């Protein structure tokens, strides 16, 4: 019975392949126009082309690709397929692959699966989020087909991939629809297709559905897309980096193409130029987003690895490696002991497992660096940094910390220059992490782009100044991030960061943060200038904090049952009003949670300087400390002369600082 079933299966497969071949485009001399037939190993192909035997030449070229071993891909290689054969894939991958067979695609993880139709509609936009559409045209969603195919050898998955590639090529030619340069033919998006298609090529290459005719269609479409990227680089930013990297992928994966060397060299040249432009002297990528910074590290190191695979590593100077190493070390400075970091500038949530893998990769590249080894081994070996509080002055990332382990107190502060693309108007913002808890997480971003009326409002709120822990005038967004640091003292029992940001027309915001006894913080905000209106400083707390407000003392406290809690109290002697506001936090794209938030407000009626004095005091237990403030004789917040005495549960702390400079 099994023999009969096998015969039937082979018969059906043969009919399918014959049907596919009947639909294939004829092969002409022009089909080989972009192939360097003088390449080693293509001697038979060249002779067949010279003899005008184009069908046989395509067969010979396919045989060459199925047998070549000198070309290596960073992720998927033909000679590694066998080790995955028969190994079970996870249920989610299998479900995604089976949905793709039905033309039900999931281009972006934040969205559900959508049906793109029996006759695939590549312009279908189930939601008005350009990110979903650009992800569709990146075609990363095809990967489950390849993963399931190499595990099961079920030809349905290979057949469908070949069909969909052909369908995409046919329906998405340049100029096929008016906004194609925003989606299918946006150079950034095209570059991702180059990356993904080079991997899929190896995953499906041995399938009988991968015919000689399909090979020629694939190679010609690939060449057109690589040439397009090379001619249409994005001017600036991480998009340009990705485009350069993906051109290196193209040149490395298909060295038989006539333009392969120019693609590869173009990518190397751009990366060598851009690392000097985009990486600040302190090692932070100039978009000032922790996530995009880490993504940029991967780009630069992937490029090095590709160059090593094809013998061109020397085309990257040693200074390139040194800058990447500095980028890696910068990550530790803006991170917490659990390896997470603030969600500044459209950053997205990470976790310790992901970051340990990153550090383990980086440690292999920089084996001599003992600090990277320390991070990579979770402190089991290597050397922990020889500092506690730290600065990344060009990026404007500052950190107060009293240790590197999970019981540490760490405050990350943003006081930097204007940034590209992903920046929010949020200078003065901070995130406070104590004993494993992020008490004041950055809001995140929820959504990056235009997704209709409601979602636009969401995007605007998450980007707004009032969604961050800083000062506002009339609840408006600050005009520019351009902080000037006047004092930075990262050592001792009274550590200080003081900076001024030209936040509004005729109003500068000076924020001075004091880290006292390596235990608690005092924040002094001064609104300096002739502008008038309603001033507010805001504190947004973690979504599960169950924070409550004490109107008598102008204080708020968290109420965690484990006893790890935080008191925030405004210590001004003048009248301050407090109100609870709606607030949200988004750790994952298009998902959010409500959280407690409080605005402490006072009027600014004239040109005189107004200020706020806050204390942020982490404490153990359910009862916050009693805090009182005495303004000594020489104290004048208007003049920047600070002379205060804090009394905390009966213990006095004197604070004397000149913030007028």
């Amino acid at each position: 019975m099994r023999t009969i079933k096998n015969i039937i299966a082979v018969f059906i497969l043969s009919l399918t392949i014959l049907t596919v071949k009947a639909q294939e485009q004829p092969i002409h001399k022009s089909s080989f126009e972009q192939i360097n037939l003088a390449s080693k190993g293509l001697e038979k192909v060249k002779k067949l082309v010279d003899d005008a035997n184009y069908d046989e030449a395509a067969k010979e070229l396919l045989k060459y690709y199925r047998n070549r071993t000198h070309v290596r891909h960073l992720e998927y290689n033909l000679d590694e397929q066998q080790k995955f054969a028969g190994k079970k894939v996870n249920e989610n991958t299998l479900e995604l692959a089976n949905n793709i067979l039905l033309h039900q695609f999931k281009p972006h993880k934040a969205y559900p699966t959508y049906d793109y139709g029996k006759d695939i509609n590549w312009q279908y936009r189930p939601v008005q989020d350009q990110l979903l559409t650009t992800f569709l045209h990146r075609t990363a969603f095809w990967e489950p087909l390849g993963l399931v195919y190499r595990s099961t050898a079920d030809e349905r998955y290979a057949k469908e991939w070949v069909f969909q590639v052909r369908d995409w090529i046919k329906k998405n030619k340049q100029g096929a629809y008016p906004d194609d340069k925003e989606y299918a033919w946006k150079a950034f998006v095209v570059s991702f297709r180059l990356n993904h298609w080079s991997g899929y090529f190896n995953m499906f290459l041995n399938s009988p559905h991968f015919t000689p005719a399909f090979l020629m269609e694939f190679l010609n479409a690939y060449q057109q897309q690589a040439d397009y990227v090379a001619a249409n680089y994005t001017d600036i930013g991480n998009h340009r980096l990705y485009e350069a990297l993906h051109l290196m992928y193209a040149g490395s994966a298909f060295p038989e193409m006539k333009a392969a060397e120019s693609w590869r060299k173009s990518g190397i040249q751009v990366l060598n130029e851009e690392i000097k432009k985009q990486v600040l002297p302190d090692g932070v990528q100039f978009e000032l987003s922790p996530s995009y910074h880490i993504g940029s590290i991967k780009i630069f190191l992937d490029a090095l690895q590709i160059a090593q695979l094809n013998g061109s590593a020397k085309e990257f100077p040693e200074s390139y490696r040194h800058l990447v190493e500095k980028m890696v070390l910068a990550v530790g400075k803006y991170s917490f002991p659990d390896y997470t970091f603030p969600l500044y500038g459209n950053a997205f949530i990470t976790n310790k497992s992901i970051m340990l893998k990153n550090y383990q990769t980086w440690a292999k590249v920089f084996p001599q660096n003992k600090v990277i080894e320390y991070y990579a081994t979770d402190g089991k070996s290597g050397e922990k940094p020889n500092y506690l509080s730290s600065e990344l002055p060009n990026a404007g990332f500052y950190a107060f910390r009293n240790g590197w382990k999970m019981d540490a107190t760490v405050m990350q502060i943003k006081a930097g220059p204007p940034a590209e693309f992903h920046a929010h108007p949020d200078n003065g913002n901070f995130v406070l992490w104590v004993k494993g808890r992020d008490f004041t997480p950055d809001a995140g971003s929820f959504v990056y782009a235009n997704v209709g009326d409601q979602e636009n409002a969401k995007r605007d709120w998450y980007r707004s100044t009032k969604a961050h822990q800083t000062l506002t005038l009339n609840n408006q967004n600050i005009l520019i991030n351009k902080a000037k640091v006047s004092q930075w003292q990262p050592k001792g029992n009274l550590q200080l960061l003081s900076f001024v940001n030209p936040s509004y027309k005729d109003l500068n915001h000076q924020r001075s943060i004091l880290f006292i006894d390596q235990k608690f913080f005092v924040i002094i905000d001064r609104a300096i200038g002739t502008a008038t209106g309603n001033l507010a400083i805001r504190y947004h707390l973690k979504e599960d904090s169950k924070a409550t407000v004490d109107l008598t003392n102008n204080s708020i406290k968290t109420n965690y049952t484990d006893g790890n809690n935080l008191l925030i109290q405004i210590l001004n002697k003048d009248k301050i009003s407090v109100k609870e506001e709606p607030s949200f936090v988004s750790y994952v794209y298009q998902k959010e949670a409500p959280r407690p938030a409080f605005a402490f407000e006072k009027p600014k009626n004239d040109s005189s300087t107004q200020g706020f004095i806050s204390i942020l005091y982490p404490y153990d237990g359910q009862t916050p400390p009693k805090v009182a403030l005495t303004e000594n004789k020489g104290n004048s917040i208007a003049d920047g002369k600070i002379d205060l005495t804090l009394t905390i549960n009966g213990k006095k702390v004197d604070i004397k600082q000149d913030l007028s400079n």
Side-chain angles (χ1 to χ4, degrees), residues 343-346 414 424-431 439-446 457-478 504 511 536-542 581-586 592-593 595-599:
L343 304 183
Y344 300 149
N346 290 348
K414 187 171 184 290
H424 294 185
D426 61 349
N427 257 359
N429 189 24
F430 67 86
V431 178
F439 279 95
T440 59
D442 184 273
S445 58
F446 186 73
K458 285 288 187 186
R459 178 178 184 267
D460 291 344
W461 184 87
Y462 276 93
R463 290 177 58 82
S464 69
T465 304
K466 66 183 180 182
H468 299 87
Q469 334 264 3
T470 191
L471 179 140
T472 59
L473 175 66
N474 297 325
N475 294 330
Q476 298 299 305
N477 290 340
I478 65 175
Y504 299 97
R511 172 159 277 188
I537 55 171
R538 286 178 169 81
Y539 292 103
H540 301 261
L541 296 160
K542 197 170 187 292
E581 295 183 328
S583 182
F584 305 88
V585 62
S586 177
E592 65 180 355
R595 61 173 178 165
F598 302 88

Side-chain angles (χ1 to χ4, degrees), residues 290-295 297-298 327-342 347-363 371-378:
S291 292
Y292 285 92
H293 174 82
I294 291 170
I297 293 173
K298 178 171 172 52
M327 292 179 76
V328 171
L329 293 173
V331 176
K333 289 186 175 182
Y334 67 60
S335 296
F336 299 112
D338 66 349
Y339 288 72
T340 62
F341 44 71
F348 40 85
I349 197 70
T350 189
N351 60 51
K352 188 171 184 176
S353 176
I354 290 171
M355 290 306 300
L356 279 173
K357 288 178 182 177
N358 284 334
Y359 274 112
Q360 287 157 12
T361 298
W362 301 335
V371 173
I372 296 175
E373 180 185 334
Y374 176 84
Y375 290 128
T377 62
D378 198 10

Side-chain angles (χ1 to χ4, degrees), residues 283-331:
V284 180
Q285 199 258 356
F286 73 163
E287 290 174 272
L288 307 186
S289 167
S291 292
Y292 285 92
H293 174 82
I294 291 170
S296 297
I297 293 173
K298 178 171 172 52
I299 291 171
F300 291 129
L301 291 184
D302 278 359
L304 269 181
Q305 192 173 352
I306 292 170
Q308 289 164 353
L309 289 175
N310 60 41
S312 57
K314 290 183 179 179
E315 293 184 47
F316 288 105
E318 194 61 26
S319 59
Y320 178 101
R321 288 176 55 87
H322 289 325
L323 264 180
V324 180
E325 185 175 12
K326 187 179 282 190
M327 292 179 76
V328 171
L329 293 173
V331 176

Side-chain angles (χ1 to χ4, degrees), residues 188-257:
F188 178 61
V189 175
V190 180
S191 82
F192 272 93
R193 281 201 301 275
L194 296 177
N195 176 21
H196 298 315
W197 285 24
S198 64
Y200 304 151
F201 180 87
N202 287 337
M203 296 173 88
F204 293 106
L205 186 58
N206 280 329
S207 168
H209 289 92
F210 201 121
T211 63
F214 175 72
L215 172 67
M216 305 316 298
E217 293 173 52
F218 179 96
L219 291 177
N220 277 282
Y222 196 89
Q223 168 266 317
Q224 291 169 12
Q225 294 175 82
D227 283 349
Y228 182 87
V229 173
N232 292 278
Y233 274 109
T234 302
D235 291 339
I236 196 170
N238 71 80
H239 285 205
R240 187 173 176 88
L241 300 183
Y242 277 112
E243 289 155 6
L245 174 67
H246 295 153
L247 272 180
M248 285 189 67
Y249 263 105
S252 177
F254 298 101
E256 305 82 9
M257 307 289 281

Side-chain angles (χ1 to χ4, degrees), residues 177-189:
Y177 41 93
D179 56 0
D180 67 340
K181 290 185 178 179
E182 294 299 315
Y183 298 101
W185 287 93
K186 186 183 183 76
F188 178 61
V189 175

Side-chain angles (χ1 to χ4, degrees), residues 53-66:
N53 195 345
Y54 305 124
D55 288 343
E56 289 301 314
K59 289 180 183 178
E60 192 63 39
L61 184 60
L62 180 58
K63 186 188 298 183
Y64 161 83
Y65 276 114
R66 285 174 173 168

Side-chain angles (χ1 to χ4, degrees), residues 89-129:
V89 296
N90 66 60
E91 291 298 320
N92 181 60
T93 300
L94 182 60
E95 181 182 5
L96 289 170
N98 288 334
N99 285 338
I100 293 169
L101 297 179
L102 303 173
H103 301 174
Q104 295 170 4
F105 306 155
K106 186 179 174 67
H108 193 285
K109 64 183 179 181
Y111 289 102
T113 298
Y114 295 107
D115 190 336
Y116 284 78
K118 184 176 180 181
D119 181 12
I120 300 173
N121 180 2
W122 296 100
Q123 295 183 56
Y124 175 49
R125 295 174 191 169
V127 296
Q128 295 305 305
D129 183 348

